[in-house]
Amino acid sequence: GATQRLRITSTGEVNIGGNYTQTTDKFQVTGNAKIDGNLNVTGALTYEDVTNIDSVGIITAQAGIHVVGTASSVGIGTSAPIVKLHVVGDSKIEGAATFNNDLTISKSDGTTNLTVETAIASGRDALIKIRGARTTCNTCDIAMLQFDNKTNSAYTMAQISAQDPAGNHTAGKGKLVFRTATGGSLSDQMIINE
């Protein structure tokens, strides 16, 4: 006898390759499918198994890209992401980036570099800003640079601290405190007052 391959239900559902009685989805394919051309999805596009996508080409996401599920992780260059976004290889961001938590730059070999630069012919300055927020403390470290020795016996070697000597953020005053370590303890070595 004939083998059923396709069914169109009385309510308009199209089922191909099996599950011919389902009426939840308007179009369902049981088995592999191939589209040679563009696919326009005006609703949500859901992948049940995002670990086995060979290529997605170019995606234009009108309302952003959302990853949901029990893992909720995206791996680029890796099939085993260990954080929300795990990129193995170089990456580039053209535009501003904001981090609402700590940022760690780690490298297993060679010297770790943080470079802040402008374009060669831009005629612009390069600036690093360290912003703290204290309003009524004249001995507190408001903004700091800290130099640590990361070994099995890690310790802080030196600090440069910016303080508000007036303890009044409306006075617009500042001083710098330079500290170095002896026996693992930091002590003030030089102070530049307002």
Side-chain angles (χ1 to χ4, degrees), residues 37-100:
N38 297 327
L39 175 64
N40 186 3
V41 180
T42 57
L45 180 61
T46 302
Y47 295 101
E48 294 296 336
D49 184 3
V50 297
T51 62
N52 291 319
I53 299 176
D54 293 331
S55 175
V56 294
I58 298 175
I59 295 178
T60 301
Q62 296 179 357
I65 298 175
H66 305 274
V67 179
V68 297
T70 55
S72 299
S73 298
V74 176
I76 301 175
T78 175
S79 60
I82 60 175
V83 291
K84 293 296 184 183
L85 176 60
H86 188 170
V87 180
V88 175
D90 296 338
S91 59
K92 182 178 182 179
I93 299 174
E94 294 189 3
T98 300
F99 300 89
N100 292 326

Side-chain angles (χ1 to χ4, degrees), residues 3-191:
T3 300
Q4 185 173 11
R5 303 297 185 187
L6 179 148
R7 176 183 291 185
I8 302 176
T9 68
S10 59
T11 53
E13 289 77 28
V14 178
N15 301 317
I16 301 175
N19 199 14
Y20 299 114
T21 60
Q22 77 85 24
T23 57
T24 302
D25 302 314
K26 287 298 181 183
F27 182 72
Q28 178 171 289
V29 177
T30 301
N32 297 330
K34 181 178 181 181
I35 299 174
D36 288 325
N38 297 327
L39 175 64
N40 186 3
V41 180
T42 57
L45 180 61
T46 302
Y47 295 101
E48 294 296 336
D49 184 3
V50 297
T51 62
N52 291 319
I53 299 176
D54 293 331
S55 175
V56 294
I58 298 175
I59 295 178
T60 301
Q62 296 179 357
I65 298 175
H66 305 274
V67 179
V68 297
T70 55
S72 299
S73 298
V74 176
I76 301 175
T78 175
S79 60
I82 60 175
V83 291
K84 293 296 184 183
L85 176 60
H86 188 170
V87 180
V88 175
D90 296 338
S91 59
K92 182 178 182 179
I93 299 174
E94 294 189 3
T98 300
F99 300 89
N100 292 326
N101 210 317
D102 296 336
L103 173 64
T104 300
I105 301 174
S106 180
K107 187 178 180 181
S108 59
D109 60 345
T111 301
T112 303
N113 296 306
L114 172 63
T115 303
V116 180
E117 64 181 8
T118 60
I120 294 175
S122 69
R124 301 291 184 180
D125 300 326
L127 174 66
I128 297 176
K129 294 182 180 180
I130 303 175
R131 294 172 171 168
R134 298 248 189 198
T135 58
T136 59
C137 180
N138 64 353
T139 59
C140 295
D141 298 323
I142 298 176
M144 290 190 298
L145 281 176
Q146 181 166 297
F147 306 91
D148 294 346
N149 190 355
K150 183 184 177 183
T151 62
N152 293 333
S153 300
Y155 68 99
T156 298
M157 299 182 295
Q159 283 180 347
I160 302 174
S161 168
Q163 298 180 352
D164 175 9
N168 181 355
H169 68 285
T170 62
K173 296 183 178 183
K175 71 176 182 180
L176 283 177
V177 180
F178 294 79
R179 304 184 180 105
T180 57
T182 301
S185 298
L186 290 171
S187 59
D188 297 352
Q189 299 298 327
M190 182 174 70
I191 297 175

